[in-house]
Amino acid sequence: MTASPLDAAHETTRRITTLSVATAVLLIVMKAFALGASGSVSILASLADSALDLVASLATFFAVRWAAAPPDDDHRYGHGKAEGLASLVQAGMVLASGVFIGWEAVQRIFDPRPVTSGGWAVGVVLLSIAVTAGLVWMQTQAMKKTGSLAVAGDRAHYAADLAANVVVLVGVISGAFLQAPGLDAAAGLVVAVWLAWGAVSLLKDAAGHLLDRAASDEERAAIVAAVTEDARVANVHQLRTRMAGQALMVQMHVDLDPDLSLKAAHDIILDAEKRVLKVFPHADILIHADPRGAAEPHGGAFATTRPETSDAASPQAPSPQAGPWS
């Protein structure tokens, strides 16, 4: 039996999050050794960041498995929002890491301490850069396949780590070989600011997901184009979209010829759904058919008036077009 696109995406996220946890553990071990040998505040900053990375990666590890659970009686839309929650946890962890590192760096700027065993520290940082770069590359490939918000959050803080490790490398070299420990502390402060900036970006993405932010204009236009590819489907309106983990939830109203049989209308709608699924394989689609020229306004908490672009006045010459979108 062939796995569905969504099942394949979930399997990809499970593999990449397992690798992320293993990478975090390896980085912590290496950086703890380097810190003990050098006493570098830059290494301390990087170690603290990796420790929080492990916590965030563990949160992602469990979140993607929860998000992959099928819908149940209490969660009819599935558990995809778990990915948004994991991304929110990651953002909080990264922000806390930035605050801690920034405080330590400021203290060391006013009270510089020498960096010892610079060779070991530089070697560990270079190895950390190579390991992190490999993980980020694999996470990028996984994101292209799945669009997972949780993996995107995980990748964001590891990508920040990659840039931060370069700054750490500069700090360690400055403190150990140039006899400028103040530069080591300044490098730690740069890392802190970088992490805080990344955390704010993560918070915005996670909040948008949890608050049901709509798909982009380009994605909604693609949905409308797919639905109205059949000339019998006109006047897409009340289009609403949101993400639930890796699944794109889509609902809309369309106008059809009021003289169609129920079976014919059903077949037209089913074909429209299949066209949307070709463009968005992870979508869950609900299309409501209205009789063109005879539809009544819809009620409900988020009801909208029928668009001015409605072709109700000219049922013989329908022109597919989009009304108010989500």
Side-chain angles (χ1 to χ4, degrees):
M1 183 177 178
T2 304
S4 70
L6 194 56
D7 288 338
H10 285 149
E11 179 58 31
T12 299
T13 58
R14 282 191 286 264
R15 286 199 302 268
I16 198 65
T17 53
T18 300
L19 182 61
S20 175
V21 171
T23 300
V25 171
L26 176 61
L27 291 174
I28 287 172
V29 171
M30 291 192 303
K31 291 176 183 179
F33 170 78
L35 178 62
S38 67
S40 165
V41 69
S42 293
I43 294 292
L44 173 63
S46 189
L47 174 60
D49 181 39
S50 291
L52 287 175
D53 283 348
L54 176 58
V55 176
S57 292
L58 284 171
T60 304
F61 177 87
F62 291 110
V64 298
R65 285 154 178 78
W66 185 21
D72 55 34
D73 290 341
D74 294 325
H75 305 88
R76 302 306 298 169
Y77 289 96
H79 303 79
K81 293 293 184 182
E83 292 202 8
L85 288 173
S87 187
L88 200 64
V89 169
Q90 288 171 333
M93 291 291 182
V94 172
L95 186 59
S97 177
V99 172
F100 169 75
I101 293 167
W103 176 255
E104 185 67 22
V106 169
Q107 288 185 314
R108 292 291 184 94
I109 287 174
F110 292 102
D111 181 22
R113 302 177 191 178
V115 176
T116 59
S117 300
W120 281 106
V122 169
V124 167
V125 174
L126 287 173
L127 185 56
S128 297
I129 289 174
V131 171
T132 305
L135 176 63
V136 168
W137 182 83
M138 286 184 280
Q139 288 174 323
T140 301
Q141 303 310 306
M143 281 177 56
K144 290 179 180 178
K145 293 179 180 178
T146 67
S148 168
L149 180 64
V151 173
D154 216 28
R155 177 188 176 279
H157 73 245
Y158 277 108
D161 287 352
L162 187 59
N165 279 330
V166 175
V167 177
V168 169
L169 182 62
V170 172
V172 171
I173 292 174
S174 299
F177 302 110
L178 302 181
Q179 305 305 313
L183 289 179
D184 174 56
L189 188 59
V190 171
V191 173
V193 174
W194 181 275
L195 291 174
W197 181 264
V200 172
S201 178
L202 274 178
L203 282 170
K204 289 172 62 179
D205 288 341
H209 185 83
L210 293 172
L211 295 175
D212 290 336
R213 182 179 56 204
S216 68
D217 288 343
E218 292 76 13
E219 289 170 324
R220 286 177 283 168
I223 291 171
V224 172
V227 171
T228 57
E229 190 176 307
D230 185 339
R232 295 172 296 178
V233 180
N235 193 26
V236 175
H237 54 286
Q238 289 188 244
L239 172 61
R240 295 174 186 163
T241 59
R242 64 184 178 88
M243 294 299 298
Q246 298 168 44
L248 174 63
M249 316 301 290
V250 181
Q251 65 183 67
M252 72 189 78
H253 291 228
V254 299
D255 285 353
L256 297 179
D257 186 337
D259 295 326
L260 288 172
S261 67
L262 178 59
K263 176 65 166 60
H266 171 268
D267 290 344
I268 292 172
I269 294 300
L270 187 60
D271 288 342
E273 290 177 353
K274 290 177 180 178
R275 292 194 298 274
V276 175
L277 285 172
K278 286 183 180 179
V279 184
F280 300 98
H282 302 165
D284 183 86
I285 308 158
L286 179 63
I287 302 178
H288 177 91
D290 287 329
R292 187 170 57 242
E296 295 293 332
H298 295 280
F302 301 105
T304 60
T305 57
R306 289 183 58 79
E308 294 179 4
T309 54
S310 172
D311 58 344
S314 53
Q316 302 302 318
S319 57
Q321 52 194 323
W325 289 352
S326 48

